[in-house]
Coordinates of all heavy atoms in Angstrom, one line a residue:
H1 N -9.5 81.5 50.1 CA -9.5 80.1 50.7 C -9.9 80.1 52.1 O -9.3 80.8 52.9 CB -8.0 79.6 50.4 CG -7.5 79.4 49.0 ND1 -7.5 78.3 48.3 CD2 -7.1 80.3 48.1 CE1 -7.1 78.5 47.0 NE2 -6.8 79.7 47.0
R2 N -10.8 79.2 52.5 CA -11.3 79.0 53.7 C -10.7 77.7 54.3 O -11.1 76.7 53.7 CB -12.7 79.1 53.8 CG -13.4 79.1 55.1 CD -14.9 79.2 55.0 NE -15.5 79.3 56.3 CZ -16.4 78.3 56.9 NH1 -16.4 77.2 56.2 NH2 -16.9 78.6 58.0
E3 N -9.9 77.8 55.3 CA -9.3 76.7 55.9 C -9.4 76.7 57.4 O -9.5 77.8 58.0 CB -7.7 76.7 55.5 CG -7.4 76.9 54.0 CD -6.1 77.4 53.8 OE1 -5.7 78.4 54.4 OE2 -5.4 77.0 52.8
A4 N -9.3 75.5 57.9 CA -9.4 75.4 59.4 C -8.1 75.9 60.0 O -7.0 75.7 59.5 CB -9.6 73.9 59.8
A5 N -8.2 76.5 61.2 CA -7.1 77.1 62.0 C -6.2 75.8 62.4 O -5.1 76.0 62.5 CB -7.6 77.8 63.1
Y6 N -6.8 74.7 62.6 CA -6.1 73.5 63.0 C -4.9 73.2 62.1 O -3.8 72.9 62.5 CB -7.0 72.3 62.9 CG -6.6 71.0 63.7 CD1 -7.1 70.5 64.9 CD2 -5.5 70.3 63.2 CE1 -6.6 69.4 65.5 CE2 -4.9 69.3 63.6 CZ -5.6 68.6 64.9 OH -5.1 67.5 65.4
Y7 N -5.1 73.4 60.7 CA -4.2 73.1 59.8 C -3.0 74.1 59.9 O -1.8 73.4 59.7 CB -4.8 73.3 58.3 CG -3.9 73.5 57.2 CD1 -3.1 72.4 56.6 CD2 -3.4 74.7 56.7 CE1 -2.3 72.5 55.6 CE2 -2.5 74.9 55.8 CZ -2.0 73.8 55.2 OH -1.0 74.0 54.2
H8 N -3.2 75.2 60.4 CA -2.0 76.2 60.5 C -1.2 75.9 61.6 O -0.1 76.5 61.8 CB -2.6 77.6 60.6 CG -3.2 77.9 59.3 ND1 -2.5 78.5 58.3 CD2 -4.6 78.1 59.0 CE1 -3.4 78.9 57.2 NE2 -4.7 78.6 57.7
A9 N -1.6 74.9 62.7 CA -0.9 74.7 63.8 C 0.3 73.8 63.5 O 1.2 73.7 64.3 CB -1.8 74.0 64.8
C10 N 0.3 73.2 62.2 CA 1.5 72.2 62.1 C 1.8 72.2 60.7 O 2.5 71.2 60.1 CB 0.9 70.7 62.3 SG -0.7 70.3 61.6
N11 N 1.7 73.4 59.9 CA 2.1 73.4 58.5 C 2.8 74.7 58.0 O 3.1 75.0 56.9 CB 1.1 73.2 57.6 CG 0.6 71.8 57.7 OD1 1.4 70.8 57.0 ND2 -0.6 71.6 58.1
R12 N 3.3 75.4 59.1 CA 4.0 76.6 58.8 C 5.3 76.4 58.1 O 6.0 75.4 58.3 CB 4.4 77.4 60.3 CG 5.1 78.7 60.1 CD 5.4 79.3 61.5 NE 6.0 78.4 62.4 CZ 5.4 77.9 63.6 NH1 4.2 78.2 63.8 NH2 6.1 77.0 64.3
G13 N 5.8 77.4 57.2 CA 7.0 77.4 56.7 C 7.2 76.4 55.6 O 8.4 76.3 55.0
K14 N 6.1 75.7 55.2 CA 6.3 74.7 54.0 C 5.9 75.3 52.6 O 5.2 76.3 52.6 CB 5.5 73.5 54.3 CG 5.8 72.8 55.7 CD 4.8 71.8 56.0 CE 5.1 71.2 57.4 NZ 4.1 70.2 57.9
R15 N 6.2 74.6 51.6 CA 5.6 74.7 50.3 C 4.7 73.6 50.0 O 4.8 72.5 50.7 CB 6.7 74.7 49.2 CG 7.6 75.9 49.3 CD 8.5 76.0 48.0 NE 9.6 75.1 48.1 CZ 10.4 74.7 47.1 NH1 10.1 75.2 45.9 NH2 11.5 74.0 47.2
S16 N 3.6 73.8 49.2 CA 2.6 72.9 48.9 C 2.4 72.6 47.5 O 2.4 73.5 46.8 CB 1.3 73.2 49.5 OG 0.2 72.3 49.0
I17 N 2.5 71.2 47.0 CA 2.2 70.9 45.7 C 1.1 69.8 45.8 O 1.0 69.1 46.8 CB 3.5 70.3 44.9 CG1 3.9 69.1 45.5 CG2 4.6 71.5 44.9 CD1 5.0 68.3 44.6
I18 N 0.4 69.7 44.6 CA -0.6 68.7 44.6 C -0.2 67.6 43.7 O 0.3 67.7 42.6 CB -1.9 69.4 43.9 CG1 -2.4 70.4 44.8 CG2 -3.0 68.2 43.7 CD1 -3.6 71.1 44.3
A19 N -0.4 66.4 44.2 CA -0.1 65.1 43.3 C -0.9 64.1 43.6 O -1.3 63.7 44.8 CB 1.5 64.7 43.7
D20 N -1.6 63.4 42.6 CA -2.3 62.2 42.7 C -1.4 60.9 42.4 O -1.0 60.9 41.3 CB -3.5 62.3 41.7 CG -4.3 61.0 41.8 OD1 -4.1 60.1 42.5 OD2 -5.4 61.1 41.2
F21 N -1.1 60.2 43.3 CA -0.1 59.1 43.3 C -0.6 58.1 42.1 O 0.1 57.4 41.6 CB 0.0 58.3 44.5 CG 0.8 59.2 45.6 CD1 0.8 58.7 46.8 CD2 1.4 60.3 45.2 CE1 1.5 59.4 47.8 CE2 2.2 61.0 46.2 CZ 2.0 60.6 47.5
A22 N -1.9 58.0 42.0 CA -2.4 57.1 40.8 C -2.3 57.8 39.4 O -2.4 57.1 38.4 CB -4.0 56.9 41.0
D23 N -1.7 59.0 39.3 CA -1.6 59.6 38.0 C -0.1 59.4 37.7 O 0.7 59.9 38.5 CB -1.9 61.0 38.1 CG -1.7 61.7 36.8 OD1 -0.5 62.1 36.6 OD2 -2.6 61.9 35.9
A24 N 0.3 58.9 36.5 CA 1.6 58.6 36.3 C 2.6 59.8 36.2 O 3.8 59.7 36.7 CB 1.8 57.8 34.9
D25 N 2.1 60.9 35.7 CA 2.9 62.1 35.6 C 3.2 62.6 37.1 O 4.2 63.1 37.3 CB 2.2 63.1 34.7 CG 2.2 62.8 33.2 OD1 3.2 61.9 32.9 OD2 1.4 63.1 32.5
D26 N 2.0 62.8 37.7 CA 2.3 63.2 39.1 C 3.2 62.4 40.0 O 4.1 62.9 40.8 CB 0.9 63.3 39.9 CG -0.1 64.5 39.4 OD1 0.4 65.2 38.6 OD2 -1.2 64.6 40.1
L27 N 3.1 61.1 39.8 CA 3.9 60.1 40.6 C 5.4 60.4 40.1 O 6.3 60.3 41.0 CB 3.5 58.7 40.4 CG 4.2 57.7 41.0 CD1 4.2 57.9 42.6 CD2 3.7 56.3 40.8
A28 N 5.6 60.6 38.8 CA 6.9 60.8 38.4 C 7.5 62.0 38.8 O 8.7 62.2 39.3 CB 6.9 60.7 36.9
R29 N 6.7 63.1 39.1 CA 7.2 64.3 39.6 C 7.5 64.2 41.0 O 8.6 64.7 41.4 CB 5.9 65.2 39.6 CG 6.3 66.7 40.0 CD 5.2 67.6 39.8 NE 5.4 69.0 40.2 CZ 4.7 69.9 40.7 NH1 3.4 69.4 40.9 NH2 5.0 71.0 41.0
V30 N 6.8 63.4 41.9 CA 7.2 63.1 43.2 C 8.5 62.4 43.4 O 9.4 62.8 44.1 CB 6.0 62.5 44.0 CG1 6.4 62.0 45.3 CG2 4.7 63.4 44.0
K31 N 8.7 61.5 42.5 CA 9.8 60.7 42.6 C 11.0 61.5 42.2 O 12.2 61.3 42.9 CB 9.8 59.4 41.8 CG 8.7 58.3 42.2 CD 8.7 57.2 41.2 CE 7.8 56.1 41.9 NZ 7.6 55.0 41.0
A32 N 10.9 62.5 41.3 CA 11.9 63.3 40.9 C 12.3 64.3 42.1 O 13.5 64.5 42.2 CB 11.6 64.2 39.7
L33 N 11.3 64.7 42.8 CA 11.8 65.6 43.9 C 12.4 64.8 45.1 O 13.3 65.3 45.5 CB 10.3 65.9 44.6 CG 9.6 67.2 44.1 CD1 8.2 67.4 44.7 CD2 10.5 68.4 44.2
I34 N 12.1 63.4 45.2 CA 12.8 62.8 46.2 C 14.0 62.3 45.7 O 14.9 61.9 46.5 CB 11.9 61.4 46.6 CG1 10.5 62.0 47.2 CG2 12.6 60.4 47.5 CD1 9.5 60.8 47.4
A35 N 14.3 62.1 44.4 CA 15.7 61.7 43.9 C 16.8 62.6 44.5 O 18.0 62.0 44.5 CB 15.6 61.8 42.4
N36 N 16.5 63.9 44.7 CA 17.6 64.7 45.3 C 17.3 65.4 46.7 O 17.8 66.4 47.0 CB 18.1 65.8 44.2 CG 17.0 66.8 44.0 OD1 15.9 66.7 44.4 ND2 17.4 67.8 43.3
A37 N 16.3 64.6 47.2 CA 16.0 65.1 48.6 C 16.8 64.4 49.7 O 17.5 63.5 49.6 CB 14.6 64.8 48.9
D38 N 17.0 65.2 50.9 CA 17.7 64.7 52.0 C 16.8 63.9 52.8 O 17.2 62.8 53.4 CB 18.2 65.8 52.8 CG 19.2 66.6 52.2 OD1 20.3 66.1 52.0 OD2 18.8 67.8 51.6
V39 N 15.5 64.2 53.1 CA 14.6 63.5 53.9 C 13.3 63.3 53.3 O 12.7 64.2 52.5 CB 14.5 64.4 55.2 CG1 13.4 63.8 56.2 CG2 15.7 64.7 55.9
V40 N 12.6 62.1 53.6 CA 11.1 62.0 53.3 C 10.4 61.7 54.6 O 11.1 61.0 55.4 CB 11.0 60.9 52.2 CG1 9.5 60.4 52.3 CG2 11.4 61.3 50.9
I41 N 9.3 62.4 54.8 CA 8.4 62.1 56.0 C 7.1 61.5 55.4 O 6.6 62.1 54.6 CB 8.2 63.3 56.8 CG1 9.4 64.1 57.3 CG2 7.3 63.0 58.0 CD1 9.2 65.4 57.8
E42 N 6.9 60.3 55.7 CA 5.5 59.8 55.4 C 4.8 59.1 56.5 O 5.3 58.6 57.5 CB 5.8 58.7 54.3 CG 6.5 57.6 54.6 CD 5.7 56.4 55.0 OE1 4.5 56.5 55.2 OE2 6.2 55.3 55.5
N43 N 3.4 59.3 56.5 CA 2.7 58.5 57.6 C 1.6 57.9 57.1 O 0.4 57.8 57.6 CB 2.3 59.6 58.7 CG 1.3 60.7 58.2 OD1 1.0 60.8 57.0 ND2 0.7 61.6 59.0
F44 N 1.7 57.1 56.0 CA 0.8 56.3 55.4 C 0.9 54.9 56.2 O 1.7 54.5 57.0 CB 1.1 55.8 54.1 CG 0.7 57.0 53.0 CD1 1.4 58.2 53.0 CD2 -0.4 56.9 52.2 CE1 1.1 59.2 52.2 CE2 -0.8 57.9 51.4 CZ 0.1 59.1 51.4
K45 N -0.2 54.1 56.1 CA -0.3 52.8 56.8 C 1.0 52.0 56.3 O 1.4 52.0 55.2 CB -1.5 52.0 56.4 CG -2.7 52.6 57.3 CD -4.0 51.7 56.9 CE -3.9 50.4 57.5 NZ -5.2 49.8 57.3
T46 N 1.5 51.0 57.2 CA 2.7 50.3 56.9 C 2.5 49.5 55.6 O 1.6 48.9 55.4 CB 3.0 49.4 58.1 OG1 3.2 50.1 59.3 CG2 4.1 48.4 57.7
G47 N 3.5 49.8 54.6 CA 3.5 49.1 53.4 C 2.6 49.6 52.4 O 2.7 49.3 51.0
S48 N 1.8 50.6 52.7 CA 0.9 51.0 51.6 C 1.5 51.9 50.5 O 0.9 52.0 49.4 CB -0.3 51.9 52.2 OG 0.1 53.1 52.9

């Protein structure tokens, strides 16, 4: 995998999953993760 060094400046220590919010199964999976999460961080445009 060839990735920019920039990415590594702000993503240490995390796990990564892939989800397409337009896919019903992926969206359900994300909501299930959040159902027992303590914190959500999001930086989408307001209301989107």
Side-chain angles (χ1 to χ4, degrees):
H1 296 260
R2 186 173 184 257
E3 303 153 321
Y6 192 114
Y7 162 78
H8 294 276
C10 49
N11 287 290
R12 178 179 56 248
K14 304 174 186 177
R15 294 191 279 165
S16 169
I17 67 168
I18 296 173
D20 181 350
F21 294 165
D23 181 278
D25 291 338
D26 282 1
L27 183 58
R29 183 184 180 203
V30 172
K31 289 180 179 179
L33 280 174
I34 295 172
N36 67 351
D38 296 285
V39 177
V40 165
I41 303 168
E42 64 90 2
N43 64 352
F44 285 73
K45 285 180 67 175
T46 298
S48 62

